[in-house]
Amino acid sequence: MRHFFHYQLRILCLCIILLCCIFVDNTITAEKIIYQPNRWHQKGIWISNADGHNARRLFNPSLNVTKISIQEGDRYILCVGEGVGIESGYDAYLFDTKNPNKDLKDLTYGHYSNVKDAAISPNGDVIFSNMINNRFPDGIYHIPNHEIHKTFPMAEKLYSGPANYVDWAPNGKEAVFSNKEGIFLLDISTKQISQLLDHGYRPVFSPDGSKLVFIVLTPARNNRKPIREIGMISLDAPGKIKMFDNTRTELYCNYLTWTPDGKSISYVFAEVELFLIWIARFEYTNFVLSITNGRSKQIFQNIEGGVPALEWTQKSYPVEPESKLATTWGQLKRDAKNGGYHE
């Protein structure tokens, strides 16, 4: 009889495990993330797992990075950053992962005033948006891959007009950008533009190119702070918008990108506090959101001050020890009532 009950107990435990696997299927895999830490706590370009463990520095540039874009296959890392010290203004910089001891490559050299955003395509082409004197939008430029190693790369202007955030389509033939009028698709070869949405900003293509995620801003009304929320569309049906309710916040939504499997998106909340009267200091909180069930999981808990800019790699960089991070999704822990910041 004792053996019978022991056998039944084992069956019961196995059933519980299987049920957990069915209902708790949202796990974060062990892909590596390249990021710049909060500049108030650490410098450089780093890599780690999603929990922030096993972190090591890849590069140590004198930059405050606002955007990271990684070429498919992880050969080149493109950053938009503000120079520290003698170099000032925002430019687009390139890191070659096959030559880690080589200094970063300045692609724009201040020739385009301030670079606002940039992205690198699978074949190594670069696009960027810029502003004159950090106030007047200029347009979108394209640097072909055969130009990126030249001393002064030549850039072709694709679009003349306001453009804040830009991203490459995985096919390398189209780009998406946003401005105050909404979100637009740009054909690189024909330079034709089509409007996808009349609202939203910071659009980012999914890894398979079938979807876009973006941030929606609801302006402040009746003495209330503006509200931000993450949305998603399928490019087959751009009129149907899926909003992720638990990303709704009064905080500044600082960053948006996809995980490599296309099942989740990473986003960053930023809280601002005045360090001195004329200096704003930011603290960041990082999350990963399942696009299937809309649940969020906090990441980078072990990195002081959080991470403002990040991108997921394709496991090209060995970080020892190799370990799996399998954590069930939790509810959003950030209290969205504190802070808030205008774009």
Side-chain angles (χ1 to χ4, degrees), residues 15-222:
C15 290
I16 292 174
I17 292 172
L18 290 174
L19 286 173
C20 289
C21 292
I22 293 172
F23 291 106
V24 189
D25 61 349
N26 297 302
T27 58
I28 303 174
T29 56
E31 285 93 348
K32 307 300 183 296
I33 307 176
I34 291 177
Y35 63 93
Q36 181 168 66
N38 191 323
R39 63 174 174 161
W40 294 96
H41 301 285
Q42 240 171 356
K43 305 294 184 182
I45 305 295
W46 291 68
I47 186 168
S48 80
N49 291 329
D51 59 359
H53 288 147
N54 303 319
R56 64 185 176 92
R57 184 156 49 193
L58 293 175
F59 307 99
N60 192 25
S62 297
L63 293 177
N64 293 323
V65 173
T66 59
K67 169 69 179 288
I68 297 176
S69 178
I70 304 176
Q71 184 190 17
E72 183 178 330
D74 294 354
R75 171 66 192 274
Y76 294 109
I77 301 172
L78 178 71
C79 293
V80 174
E82 180 185 22
V84 177
I86 298 176
E87 294 186 23
S88 61
Y90 290 85
D91 277 293
Y93 298 89
L94 200 67
F95 298 88
D96 187 348
T97 62
K98 289 190 176 181
N99 298 287
N101 296 323
K102 188 177 180 180
D103 199 12
L104 74 168
K105 165 71 175 177
D106 190 339
L107 294 177
T108 51
Y109 282 100
H111 293 168
Y112 305 90
S113 191
N114 283 287
V115 173
K116 176 69 176 179
D117 195 16
I120 188 167
S121 75
N123 70 343
D125 289 353
V126 171
I127 54 169
F128 63 89
S129 60
N130 72 315
M131 302 184 75
I132 305 299
N133 298 325
N134 213 22
R135 293 181 58 192
F136 306 103
D138 183 26
I140 297 175
Y141 289 83
H142 173 220
I143 302 177
N145 56 10
H146 58 80
E147 289 281 336
I148 61 176
H149 292 296
K150 294 183 179 180
T151 303
F152 298 104
M154 295 294 294
E156 176 192 12
K157 196 169 191 178
L158 298 177
Y159 167 72
S160 182
N164 294 323
Y165 300 100
V166 295
D167 191 42
W168 274 108
N171 63 17
K173 298 177 181 179
E174 298 168 308
V176 66
F177 70 93
S178 64
N179 58 31
K180 291 182 179 180
E181 302 301 320
I183 295 175
F184 301 82
L185 194 66
L186 169 64
D187 187 295
I188 301 300
S189 59
T190 66
K191 301 180 184 179
Q192 290 186 340
I193 294 173
S194 56
Q195 187 166 12
L196 297 175
L197 294 169
D198 60 2
H199 62 286
Y201 68 98
R202 200 182 276 277
V204 186
F205 275 102
S206 62
D208 64 0
S210 66
K211 304 178 186 68
L212 281 176
V213 289
F214 51 92
I215 302 168
V216 175
L217 173 67
T218 302
R221 293 190 181 96
N222 301 324

Side-chain angles (χ1 to χ4, degrees), residues 227-232 241-249 267 269 289-290 293-296 331-332 336:
I227 298 296
R228 297 162 188 84
E229 194 171 1
I230 295 175
M232 181 178 70
I241 302 175
K242 179 178 181 179
M243 301 303 298
F244 297 101
D245 294 337
N246 71 349
T247 65
R248 188 175 176 85
T249 180
Y267 62 100
F269 283 163
L289 171 82
S290 167
N293 59 28
R295 295 179 182 174
S296 296
Q331 293 297 324
L332 187 66

Side-chain angles (χ1 to χ4, degrees), residues 269-289:
F269 283 163
E271 292 183 89
V272 61
E273 58 183 38
L274 289 179
F275 180 65
L276 295 172
I277 296 177
W278 60 90
I279 298 178
R281 176 171 174 168
F282 289 88
E283 294 292 314
Y284 304 96
T285 311
N286 304 90
F287 298 94
V288 175
L289 171 82

